[in-house]
Amino acid sequence: MDKITSRALAVQILRRIEEEKAYANLVMQKALHDLSDPRERQLATLLVNGTLKHRLTLDYALRRHLRKPLSQLPHEVRWILRISALQILYLSRIPAAVAINEGVELTKKQQGKYTSLVNSVLRRVLETGWDMLWPSKEKEPVRFLSLRYSHPEWMVKRWLKRYGMADTEALCQANNEPAPVWIRTNTLKISRADLQARLEGEGVKVTIGERVPESLVIEDFGSLDKLPSFQEGHFTVQDESSQLIAHVLNPQAGQKVLDACGAPGGKTTHLAQRMENQGEILAFDIHPHKVKLIEDLAARLGITIIRAQAGDARELAGVKDASCHKVLVDAPCSGLGVLRRRADMRWHKEEDEIKTLPALQLAILERAAQCVAAGGELVYSTCTIEPEENFEVVKAFRANHPEFITVDFSGELPYSLASEQDRKQAAKGFLQILPHKQGMDGFFLAKFRRVEV
């Protein structure tokens, strides 16, 4: 039996995602174990994520050279064409001749009668390159951006209306960039400098983050869970923008803290680090299996002050009113700020979700607010860039709760804000992070203080 290659595995994964309507990260997690070589795993991951992200553009490039619709070809042939076109158009480090040859050989093994078609189409894709007949940028801006940057038209329409052409194009480009792997140093066990040295000793390429004192970017690490520094709980994976939350909420050792939507535990454990593992954190999640993710992460990091439990954040059963010094509501959201990190997310989302989520977000925020003690503080955050889920929720909350005032948190951010607009926002108690502006995952946060019970 032939040993499976990274390209063959990528086609298998993509077919499963399509047929089972499964999430890419879950399918990949299991399937990648079939490849023992870290470089092969890395290539398979790159091919799957890249093909999912750029699918609309790849199909547009391929359709120009097909006599029949792509949908009429067998599943394997479609995905072989797509992963090969991805290599030709986007992955310059892979020679085009290699991409075409590997695609042809894979077709021979899986759908032999389509070999000449695949060979012909891929050679034409190479000849044409990016010199395609695109819709007019001026007359059909939505269609142009959608096809050129592989985003659903409804997203593009929203952003064009809000940001204009230049910023929308930049945002789409940012969403298509590979997401760096950020990690957070577990300062309860090790300093960032010592972790850097340790990781480099394990063969990992490390870059120090400039904005958050615990942050590092890692590359060339193979399987994370096989690194001794990971197994010993010296770090966890968490994006840089997400690491800002614990700094802004700024809990102190010995305090009682509530995390209303805690799973999978990245922010919860960061709060515990900031508290020097002293005090108490109540962490909720509506799904029991996700509560275990919080507990497992806390155990690996050596954190003992988190009490995780299953429960609806709109109820927070057992939490007394005005009982917590600090409260975090990292609300469930559309996730449109993290499209670069979740390759298939853009195709799973519907615009209606943005219309229905704010009611849930506000309900969670209002219940969590009841738990804040007088003088205590509350942070609301999401990983989306949509105003309905961010500014509008905050506006509705403030209108109903005069006992909460906004807090200028610019002094609590671990870095200096570069733009005047960002500085003004933080002074007013909120901040919208945009991928194409700040180079981080899209994120929103707002901070309040309870001045009366």
Side-chain angles (χ1 to χ4, degrees), residues 25-39:
N25 57 333
L26 300 177
V27 177
M28 272 200 293
Q29 221 168 23
K30 293 177 184 175
L32 288 174
H33 289 297
D34 293 342
L35 296 173
S36 54
D37 186 336
R39 290 168 301 179

mmCIF file with all atom_site columns, all heavy atoms in Angstrom, residues 25-39:
data_model
loop_
_atom_site.group_PDB
_atom_site.id
_atom_site.type_symbol
_atom_site.label_atom_id
_atom_site.label_alt_id
_atom_site.label_comp_id
_atom_site.label_asym_id
_atom_site.label_entity_id
_atom_site.label_seq_id
_atom_site.pdbx_PDB_ins_code
_atom_site.Cartn_x
_atom_site.Cartn_y
_atom_site.Cartn_z
_atom_site.occupancy
_atom_site.B_iso_or_equiv
_atom_site.pdbx_formal_charge
_atom_site.auth_seq_id
_atom_site.auth_comp_id
_atom_site.auth_asym_id
_atom_site.auth_atom_id
_atom_site.pdbx_PDB_model_num
ATOM 1   N N   . ASN A 1 25 ? -10.853 22.477 11.322 1.00 0.00 ? 25 ASN A N   1
ATOM 2   C CA  . ASN A 1 25 ? -9.867  22.228 12.376 1.00 0.00 ? 25 ASN A CA  1
ATOM 3   C C   . ASN A 1 25 ? -10.077 20.872 13.043 1.00 0.00 ? 25 ASN A C   1
ATOM 4   O O   . ASN A 1 25 ? -9.123  20.190 13.411 1.00 0.00 ? 25 ASN A O   1
ATOM 5   C CB  . ASN A 1 25 ? -9.883  23.367 13.412 1.00 0.00 ? 25 ASN A CB  1
ATOM 6   C CG  . ASN A 1 25 ? -11.248 23.568 14.047 1.00 0.00 ? 25 ASN A CG  1
ATOM 7   O OD1 . ASN A 1 25 ? -12.279 23.260 13.449 1.00 0.00 ? 25 ASN A OD1 1
ATOM 8   N ND2 . ASN A 1 25 ? -11.260 24.093 15.251 1.00 0.00 ? 25 ASN A ND2 1
ATOM 9   N N   . LEU A 1 26 ? -11.342 20.442 13.186 1.00 0.00 ? 26 LEU A N   1
ATOM 10  C CA  . LEU A 1 26 ? -11.625 19.155 13.829 1.00 0.00 ? 26 LEU A CA  1
ATOM 11  C C   . LEU A 1 26 ? -11.221 17.993 12.936 1.00 0.00 ? 26 LEU A C   1
ATOM 12  O O   . LEU A 1 26 ? -10.632 17.007 13.400 1.00 0.00 ? 26 LEU A O   1
ATOM 13  C CB  . LEU A 1 26 ? -13.116 19.054 14.188 1.00 0.00 ? 26 LEU A CB  1
ATOM 14  C CG  . LEU A 1 26 ? -13.643 20.111 15.154 1.00 0.00 ? 26 LEU A CG  1
ATOM 15  C CD1 . LEU A 1 26 ? -15.138 19.948 15.385 1.00 0.00 ? 26 LEU A CD1 1
ATOM 16  C CD2 . LEU A 1 26 ? -12.897 20.050 16.494 1.00 0.00 ? 26 LEU A CD2 1
ATOM 17  N N   . VAL A 1 27 ? -11.513 18.094 11.641 1.00 0.00 ? 27 VAL A N   1
ATOM 18  C CA  . VAL A 1 27 ? -11.137 17.018 10.708 1.00 0.00 ? 27 VAL A CA  1
ATOM 19  C C   . VAL A 1 27 ? -9.619  16.925 10.609 1.00 0.00 ? 27 VAL A C   1
ATOM 20  O O   . VAL A 1 27 ? -9.043  15.832 10.640 1.00 0.00 ? 27 VAL A O   1
ATOM 21  C CB  . VAL A 1 27 ? -11.750 17.265 9.309  1.00 0.00 ? 27 VAL A CB  1
ATOM 22  C CG1 . VAL A 1 27 ? -11.305 16.187 8.318  1.00 0.00 ? 27 VAL A CG1 1
ATOM 23  C CG2 . VAL A 1 27 ? -13.269 17.286 9.390  1.00 0.00 ? 27 VAL A CG2 1
ATOM 24  N N   . MET A 1 28 ? -8.958  18.082 10.508 1.00 0.00 ? 28 MET A N   1
ATOM 25  C CA  . MET A 1 28 ? -7.494  18.088 10.354 1.00 0.00 ? 28 MET A CA  1
ATOM 26  C C   . MET A 1 28 ? -6.793  17.514 11.580 1.00 0.00 ? 28 MET A C   1
ATOM 27  O O   . MET A 1 28 ? -5.810  16.800 11.463 1.00 0.00 ? 28 MET A O   1
ATOM 28  C CB  . MET A 1 28 ? -6.985  19.509 10.093 1.00 0.00 ? 28 MET A CB  1
ATOM 29  C CG  . MET A 1 28 ? -6.985  19.860 8.626  1.00 0.00 ? 28 MET A CG  1
ATOM 30  S SD  . MET A 1 28 ? -5.893  21.228 8.232  1.00 0.00 ? 28 MET A SD  1
ATOM 31  C CE  . MET A 1 28 ? -6.712  22.566 9.046  1.00 0.00 ? 28 MET A CE  1
ATOM 32  N N   . GLN A 1 29 ? -7.312  17.875 12.751 1.00 0.00 ? 29 GLN A N   1
ATOM 33  C CA  . GLN A 1 29 ? -6.693  17.416 13.999 1.00 0.00 ? 29 GLN A CA  1
ATOM 34  C C   . GLN A 1 29 ? -6.507  15.901 13.996 1.00 0.00 ? 29 GLN A C   1
ATOM 35  O O   . GLN A 1 29 ? -5.458  15.387 14.383 1.00 0.00 ? 29 GLN A O   1
ATOM 36  C CB  . GLN A 1 29 ? -7.593  17.821 15.175 1.00 0.00 ? 29 GLN A CB  1
ATOM 37  C CG  . GLN A 1 29 ? -6.833  18.318 16.379 1.00 0.00 ? 29 GLN A CG  1
ATOM 38  C CD  . GLN A 1 29 ? -7.780  18.980 17.379 1.00 0.00 ? 29 GLN A CD  1
ATOM 39  O OE1 . GLN A 1 29 ? -8.980  18.710 17.406 1.00 0.00 ? 29 GLN A OE1 1
ATOM 40  N NE2 . GLN A 1 29 ? -7.255  19.850 18.196 1.00 0.00 ? 29 GLN A NE2 1
ATOM 41  N N   . LYS A 1 30 ? -7.547  15.189 13.553 1.00 0.00 ? 30 LYS A N   1
ATOM 42  C CA  . LYS A 1 30 ? -7.487  13.717 13.544 1.00 0.00 ? 30 LYS A CA  1
ATOM 43  C C   . LYS A 1 30 ? -6.675  13.208 12.362 1.00 0.00 ? 30 LYS A C   1
ATOM 44  O O   . LYS A 1 30 ? -5.840  12.317 12.495 1.00 0.00 ? 30 LYS A O   1
ATOM 45  C CB  . LYS A 1 30 ? -8.907  13.143 13.488 1.00 0.00 ? 30 LYS A CB  1
ATOM 46  C CG  . LYS A 1 30 ? -9.717  13.403 14.752 1.00 0.00 ? 30 LYS A CG  1
ATOM 47  C CD  . LYS A 1 30 ? -11.131 12.861 14.591 1.00 0.00 ? 30 LYS A CD  1
ATOM 48  C CE  . LYS A 1 30 ? -11.964 13.207 15.834 1.00 0.00 ? 30 LYS A CE  1
ATOM 49  N NZ  . LYS A 1 30 ? -13.384 12.811 15.669 1.00 0.00 ? 30 LYS A NZ  1
ATOM 50  N N   . ALA A 1 31 ? -6.916  13.775 11.184 1.00 0.00 ? 31 ALA A N   1
ATOM 51  C CA  . ALA A 1 31 ? -6.322  13.242 9.947  1.00 0.00 ? 31 ALA A CA  1
ATOM 52  C C   . ALA A 1 31 ? -4.809  13.422 9.880  1.00 0.00 ? 31 ALA A C   1
ATOM 53  O O   . ALA A 1 31 ? -4.108  12.584 9.302  1.00 0.00 ? 31 ALA A O   1
ATOM 54  C CB  . ALA A 1 31 ? -6.984  13.884 8.736  1.00 0.00 ? 31 ALA A CB  1
ATOM 55  N N   . LEU A 1 32 ? -4.298  14.495 10.448 1.00 0.00 ? 32 LEU A N   1
ATOM 56  C CA  . LEU A 1 32 ? -2.863  14.795 10.310 1.00 0.00 ? 32 LEU A CA  1
ATOM 57  C C   . LEU A 1 32 ? -1.972  13.767 10.994 1.00 0.00 ? 32 LEU A C   1
ATOM 58  O O   . LEU A 1 32 ? -0.772  13.682 10.716 1.00 0.00 ? 32 LEU A O   1
ATOM 59  C CB  . LEU A 1 32 ? -2.548  16.194 10.830 1.00 0.00 ? 32 LEU A CB  1
ATOM 60  C CG  . LEU A 1 32 ? -3.042  17.344 9.939  1.00 0.00 ? 32 LEU A CG  1
ATOM 61  C CD1 . LEU A 1 32 ? -2.804  18.690 10.610 1.00 0.00 ? 32 LEU A CD1 1
ATOM 62  C CD2 . LEU A 1 32 ? -2.364  17.326 8.574  1.00 0.00 ? 32 LEU A CD2 1
ATOM 63  N N   . HIS A 1 33 ? -2.554  12.962 11.885 1.00 0.00 ? 33 HIS A N   1
ATOM 64  C CA  . HIS A 1 33 ? -1.760  11.913 12.543 1.00 0.00 ? 33 HIS A CA  1
ATOM 65  C C   . HIS A 1 33 ? -1.286  10.864 11.550 1.00 0.00 ? 33 HIS A C   1
ATOM 66  O O   . HIS A 1 33 ? -0.359  10.094 11.830 1.00 0.00 ? 33 HIS A O   1
ATOM 67  C CB  . HIS A 1 33 ? -2.574  11.250 13.663 1.00 0.00 ? 33 HIS A CB  1
ATOM 68  C CG  . HIS A 1 33 ? -2.766  12.141 14.855 1.00 0.00 ? 33 HIS A CG  1
ATOM 69  N ND1 . HIS A 1 33 ? -1.705  12.597 15.614 1.00 0.00 ? 33 HIS A ND1 1
ATOM 70  C CD2 . HIS A 1 33 ? -3.878  12.675 15.410 1.00 0.00 ? 33 HIS A CD2 1
ATOM 71  C CE1 . HIS A 1 33 ? -2.158  13.370 16.590 1.00 0.00 ? 33 HIS A CE1 1
ATOM 72  N NE2 . HIS A 1 33 ? -3.478  13.438 16.496 1.00 0.00 ? 33 HIS A NE2 1
ATOM 73  N N   . ASP A 1 34 ? -1.914  10.830 10.346 1.00 0.00 ? 34 ASP A N   1
ATOM 74  C CA  . ASP A 1 34 ? -1.499  9.865  9.323  1.00 0.00 ? 34 ASP A CA  1
ATOM 75  C C   . ASP A 1 34 ? -0.165  10.242 8.677  1.00 0.00 ? 34 ASP A C   1
ATOM 76  O O   . ASP A 1 34 ? 0.403   9.445  7.928  1.00 0.00 ? 34 ASP A O   1
ATOM 77  C CB  . ASP A 1 34 ? -2.569  9.759  8.227  1.00 0.00 ? 34 ASP A CB  1
ATOM 78  C CG  . ASP A 1 34 ? -3.863  9.128  8.741  1.00 0.00 ? 34 ASP A CG  1
ATOM 79  O OD1 . ASP A 1 34 ? -3.810  8.484  9.808  1.00 0.00 ? 34 ASP A OD1 1
ATOM 80  O OD2 . ASP A 1 34 ? -4.901  9.292  8.087  1.00 0.00 ? 34 ASP A OD2 1
ATOM 81  N N   . LEU A 1 35 ? 0.311   11.462 8.935  1.00 0.00 ? 35 LEU A N   1
ATOM 82  C CA  . LEU A 1 35 ? 1.605   11.904 8.386  1.00 0.00 ? 35 LEU A CA  1
ATOM 83  C C   . LEU A 1 35 ? 2.621   12.007 9.512  1.00 0.00 ? 35 LEU A C   1
ATOM 84  O O   . LEU A 1 35 ? 2.414   12.742 10.474 1.00 0.00 ? 35 LEU A O   1
ATOM 85  C CB  . LEU A 1 35 ? 1.451   13.267 7.699  1.00 0.00 ? 35 LEU A CB  1
ATOM 86  C CG  . LEU A 1 35 ? 0.539   13.330 6.462  1.00 0.00 ? 35 LEU A CG  1
ATOM 87  C CD1 . LEU A 1 35 ? 0.371   14.771 6.011  1.00 0.00 ? 35 LEU A CD1 1
ATOM 88  C CD2 . LEU A 1 35 ? 1.111   12.490 5.323  1.00 0.00 ? 35 LEU A CD2 1
ATOM 89  N N   . SER A 1 36 ? 3.706   11.277 9.390  1.00 0.00 ? 36 SER A N   1
ATOM 90  C CA  . SER A 1 36 ? 4.715   11.285 10.471 1.00 0.00 ? 36 SER A CA  1
ATOM 91  C C   . SER A 1 36 ? 5.722   12.424 10.312 1.00 0.00 ? 36 SER A C   1
ATOM 92  O O   . SER A 1 36 ? 6.247   12.947 11.296 1.00 0.00 ? 36 SER A O   1
ATOM 93  C CB  . SER A 1 36 ? 5.460   9.946  10.516 1.00 0.00 ? 36 SER A CB  1
ATOM 94  O OG  . SER A 1 36 ? 6.009   9.656  9.238  1.00 0.00 ? 36 SER A OG  1
ATOM 95  N N   . ASP A 1 37 ? 5.971   12.855 9.075  1.00 0.00 ? 37 ASP A N   1
ATOM 96  C CA  . ASP A 1 37 ? 6.950   13.915 8.812  1.00 0.00 ? 37 ASP A CA  1
ATOM 97  C C   . ASP A 1 37 ? 6.317   15.284 9.101  1.00 0.00 ? 37 ASP A C   1
ATOM 98  O O   . ASP A 1 37 ? 5.299   15.638 8.503  1.00 0.00 ? 37 ASP A O   1
ATOM 99  C CB  . ASP A 1 37 ? 7.393   13.840 7.345  1.00 0.00 ? 37 ASP A CB  1
ATOM 100 C CG  . ASP A 1 37 ? 8.521   14.813 7.011  1.00 0.00 ? 37 ASP A CG  1
ATOM 101 O OD1 . ASP A 1 37 ? 8.666   15.830 7.724  1.00 0.00 ? 37 ASP A OD1 1
ATOM 102 O OD2 . ASP A 1 37 ? 9.245   14.568 6.027  1.00 0.00 ? 37 ASP A OD2 1
ATOM 103 N N   . PRO A 1 38 ? 6.922   16.074 10.014 1.00 0.00 ? 38 PRO A N   1
ATOM 104 C CA  . PRO A 1 38 ? 6.353   17.398 10.339 1.00 0.00 ? 38 PRO A CA  1
ATOM 105 C C   . PRO A 1 38 ? 6.208   18.299 9.110  1.00 0.00 ? 38 PRO A C   1
ATOM 106 O O   . PRO A 1 38 ? 5.267   19.082 9.022  1.00 0.00 ? 38 PRO A O   1
ATOM 107 C CB  . PRO A 1 38 ? 7.374   17.992 11.317 1.00 0.00 ? 38 PRO A CB  1
ATOM 108 C CG  . PRO A 1 38 ? 8.128   16.834 11.859 1.00 0.00 ? 38 PRO A CG  1
ATOM 109 C CD  . PRO A 1 38 ? 8.124   15.790 10.799 1.00 0.00 ? 38 PRO A CD  1
ATOM 110 N N   . ARG A 1 39 ? 7.129   18.192 8.154  1.00 0.00 ? 39 ARG A N   1
ATOM 111 C CA  . ARG A 1 39 ? 7.050   19.029 6.944  1.00 0.00 ? 39 ARG A CA  1
ATOM 112 C C   . ARG A 1 39 ? 5.855   18.646 6.084  1.00 0.00 ? 39 ARG A C   1
ATOM 113 O O   . ARG A 1 39 ? 5.207   19.500 5.479  1.00 0.00 ? 39 ARG A O   1
ATOM 114 C CB  . ARG A 1 39 ? 8.348   18.912 6.129  1.00 0.00 ? 39 ARG A CB  1
ATOM 115 C CG  . ARG A 1 39 ? 9.552   19.584 6.788  1.00 0.00 ? 39 ARG A CG  1
ATOM 116 C CD  . ARG A 1 39 ? 10.828  19.201 6.108  1.00 0.00 ? 39 ARG A CD  1
ATOM 117 N NE  . ARG A 1 39 ? 11.034  17.761 6.146  1.00 0.00 ? 39 ARG A NE  1
ATOM 118 C CZ  . ARG A 1 39 ? 12.067  17.131 5.612  1.00 0.00 ? 39 ARG A CZ  1
ATOM 119 N NH1 . ARG A 1 39 ? 12.988  17.807 4.974  1.00 0.00 ? 39 ARG A NH1 1
ATOM 120 N NH2 . ARG A 1 39 ? 12.184  15.811 5.690  1.00 0.00 ? 39 ARG A NH2 1
#
